[in-house]
């Protein structure tokens, strides 16, 4: 007679830290193929300039990674941003389509994540250069639909001193699921 083998099925949330965290990462440390694809395309679109214009980005150049893109219009007079495009990855991660909404709307919807997102956009406008981050969502955010993410923010603008759009590429690891990288 063979001994019974106990199979332990763990809850993915058991491995989560207590507190969520986000850290900046170097572009060469980007692990997500889709985020890296967008970063490399952004570099080609900008050429020798600090950033490309909105009209120079071509989503056809990034294939499936287009699903991981959001695009916001910068509204400096109102200290706000308007979502002009929202990829499927973002919609899956947050369970809502922000397209056509303003950051001020998002702040009301996502009281925890909204201020962090706005601060990221504000930083891109002030610094006028791209930034990459990686984060883990801990037990302190039990309603989050994802447990980790990797994201890059890219400035777009008509001159080195003006950001009029921000493109974001992000990949999310869902709670217990398997969204595309």
């Amino acid at each position: 007679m063979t001994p019974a083998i106990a199979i332990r099925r763990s809850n993915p949330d058991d491995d989560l830290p207590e507190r969520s965290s986000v850290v900046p990462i170097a572009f060469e440390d980007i692990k997500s193929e889709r985020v890296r694809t967008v970063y490399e395309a952004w570099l080609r679109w900008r050429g020798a300039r600090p950033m490309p214009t909105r009209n120079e980005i071509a989503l056809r150049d990034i294939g499936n990674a287009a699903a991981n893109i959001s695009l916001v219009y910068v509204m400096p007079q109102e200290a706000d941003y308007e979502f002009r495009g929202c990829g499927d990855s973002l919609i899956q991660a947050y369970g809502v389509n922000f397209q056509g909404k303003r950051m001020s709307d998002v702040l009301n919807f996502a009281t925890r994540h909204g201020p962090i997102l706005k601060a990221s956009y504000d930083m891109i406008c002030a610094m006028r250069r791209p930034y990459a981050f990686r984060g883990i969502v801990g037990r302190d955010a039990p309603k989050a639909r994802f447990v980790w993410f990797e994201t890059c923010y890219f400035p777009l603008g008509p001159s080195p001193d003006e950001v009029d759009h921000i493109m974001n590429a992000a990949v999310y690891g869902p709670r217990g699921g398997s969204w595309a990288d």
Side-chain angles (χ1 to χ4, degrees):
M1 182 160 117
T2 351
I5 298 173
I7 299 174
R8 181 174 175 251
R9 301 197 188 279
S10 67
N11 179 349
D13 288 349
D14 290 345
D15 298 328
L16 294 178
E18 284 300 317
R19 299 196 48 90
S20 302
S21 63
V22 178
V23 295
I25 59 171
F27 295 108
E28 58 269 11
D29 293 334
I30 294 171
K31 292 183 180 175
S32 164
E33 181 181 329
R34 290 187 181 197
V35 174
R36 189 174 34 264
T37 295
V38 176
Y39 172 64
E40 290 167 356
W42 183 85
L43 289 174
R44 285 191 308 276
W45 296 329
R46 79 169 187 173
R49 297 166 295 140
M51 68 186 98
T53 68
R54 161 63 184 96
N55 293 334
E56 291 171 320
I57 66 168
L59 296 183
R60 70 182 172 277
D61 293 350
I62 59 173
N64 291 340
N68 299 75
I69 297 291
S70 64
L71 182 70
V72 298
Y73 174 67
V74 178
M75 307 169 72
Q77 292 79 12
E78 300 175 43
D80 209 344
Y81 303 91
E82 181 183 353
F83 286 84
R84 296 283 174 93
C86 193
D88 288 341
S89 176
L90 184 80
I91 295 168
Q92 288 178 348
Y94 291 96
V96 66
N97 185 346
F98 294 121
Q99 187 165 337
K101 295 188 179 0
R102 291 188 172 191
M103 179 57 68
S104 50
D105 300 322
V106 174
L107 291 170
N108 292 327
F109 171 77
T111 55
R112 181 182 175 100
H113 179 71
I116 296 167
L117 184 61
K118 183 177 185 315
S120 298
Y121 289 154
D122 290 346
M123 180 180 69
I124 298 303
C125 288
M127 303 304 290
R128 297 180 304 280
R129 70 175 209 80
Y131 283 90
F133 299 94
R134 187 175 298 131
I136 188 159
V137 180
R139 290 191 194 121
D140 58 335
K143 293 182 182 179
R145 297 167 52 107
F146 53 94
V147 294
W148 63 264
F149 63 92
E150 188 170 75
T151 186
C152 286
Y153 297 92
F154 304 97
L156 307 172
S159 75
D161 298 324
E162 182 184 359
V163 175
D164 64 358
H165 287 82
I166 298 170
M167 181 175 63
N168 174 249
V171 169
Y172 304 90
R175 285 194 186 273
S178 60
W179 298 327
D181 173 6

